[in-house]
Amino acid sequence: MSRRYHPNIIITGTPGCGKSSHATSLVSQLKDPFKHFPISDIAKERKCIDSYDEVLDTSVVDEDKLLDSLEPDLENGGAIIDWHCCEVFPERLIDLVVVLRTENKKLYQRLVSRGYKNNKIQENLDCEIMEIIAQEARDSYEPNIVVELNSNEVEEMEENVDRIVSWVQNWLKDHPNGVTNELDPKLKEDNSSSSDEDNI
């Protein structure tokens, strides 16, 4: 029966909220076997792009193909997943979901600096205002593994990374025998068990 000995973490949020910066900093502190999985890049590298949306100026990912490609990586554990979608990843393979939140003014400035088209900027601002990604995370995973963190300033990012590193250290301490990658309901408690120290 397949087991992983390091947790898989999703860093998600509206484009421009600092996902890649958080993920890169996390991997630099946690080191091997933790790896950064920037999904937008990986989808292109592994030929998981289905089409291109001209209106929103973005690639459309074949999620089934992407998940087939990523499943072996996730079963190994230690994946820091960086993507604006989170609900597509199987709950049995995810140990923590971090939703980054950014104030609209700062988010707007970041998206303008990236050269996003006006309609794409507005769509992302609406997404943040309506808490679309945060709600998807809450709907897709157990409440005890979803946490929302502010990502407006560099200092906040540093604090967030420190908190996640501490969470990882506690997870490793609390799961010396790893957790199952299987869907067996009898073992669900093994995957979702969480002590007070696990919480961020």
Side-chain angles (χ1 to χ4, degrees), residues 2-198:
S2 172
R3 298 182 74 80
R4 63 182 178 279
Y5 295 89
H6 294 82
N8 292 320
I9 300 171
I10 297 175
I11 308 291
T12 191
T14 308
C17 69
K19 296 182 296 296
S20 295
S21 297
H22 277 74
T24 300
S25 182
L26 263 176
V27 170
S28 71
Q29 289 198 41
L30 293 170
K31 306 192 180 339
D32 285 337
F34 289 91
K35 293 180 183 176
H36 180 195
F37 285 80
I39 299 300
S40 295
D41 295 338
I42 286 174
K44 293 173 186 172
E45 291 167 8
R46 300 187 183 183
K47 299 183 173 23
C48 299
I49 301 300
D50 185 52
S51 59
Y52 191 80
D53 187 327
E54 297 285 350
V55 175
L56 293 176
D57 189 26
T58 188
S59 298
V60 177
V61 174
D62 181 333
E63 293 177 356
D64 290 335
K65 189 174 180 181
L66 175 71
L67 289 176
D68 286 344
S69 167
L70 282 173
E71 188 152 343
D73 297 302
L74 297 180
E75 288 182 346
N76 285 334
I80 308 295
I81 302 163
D82 158 13
W83 206 27
H84 60 273
C85 294
C86 66
E87 75 281 2
V88 301
F89 301 99
E91 186 176 5
R92 65 186 173 84
L93 296 175
I94 302 302
D95 303 287
L96 179 68
V97 181
V98 177
V99 183
L100 299 178
R101 306 301 305 273
T102 302
E103 295 170 0
N104 273 3
K105 184 177 179 181
K106 289 186 180 295
L107 190 60
Y108 175 81
Q109 293 168 344
R110 292 176 189 176
L111 297 178
V112 168
S113 69
R114 289 185 178 189
Y116 278 25
K117 294 179 180 178
N118 287 337
N119 63 325
K120 190 172 181 178
I121 291 174
Q122 191 57 55
E123 186 202 34
N124 285 314
L125 291 176
D126 290 344
C127 180
E128 183 67 15
I129 291 168
M130 294 187 286
E131 301 188 351
I132 300 295
I133 296 174
Q135 191 58 54
E136 286 174 348
R138 295 184 207 114
D139 291 343
S140 303
Y141 302 94
E142 291 293 326
N144 65 309
I145 73 164
V146 177
V147 62
E148 296 179 41
L149 299 176
N150 290 327
S151 178
N152 298 298
E153 309 292 343
V154 173
E155 293 79 12
E156 286 179 332
M157 184 193 81
E158 292 171 349
E159 290 172 6
N160 294 342
V161 170
D162 287 344
R163 290 173 69 181
I164 299 168
V165 168
S166 293
W167 178 90
V168 170
Q169 291 168 344
N170 285 325
W171 188 97
L172 294 171
K173 191 186 306 177
D174 292 342
H175 302 88
N177 298 317
V179 293
T180 180
N181 286 318
E182 310 304 325
L183 200 55
D184 186 342
K186 293 177 185 175
L187 298 173
K188 186 175 182 185
E189 186 178 343
D190 183 24
N191 262 10
S192 62
S193 64
S194 166
S195 67
D196 291 337
E197 290 79 25
D198 277 339

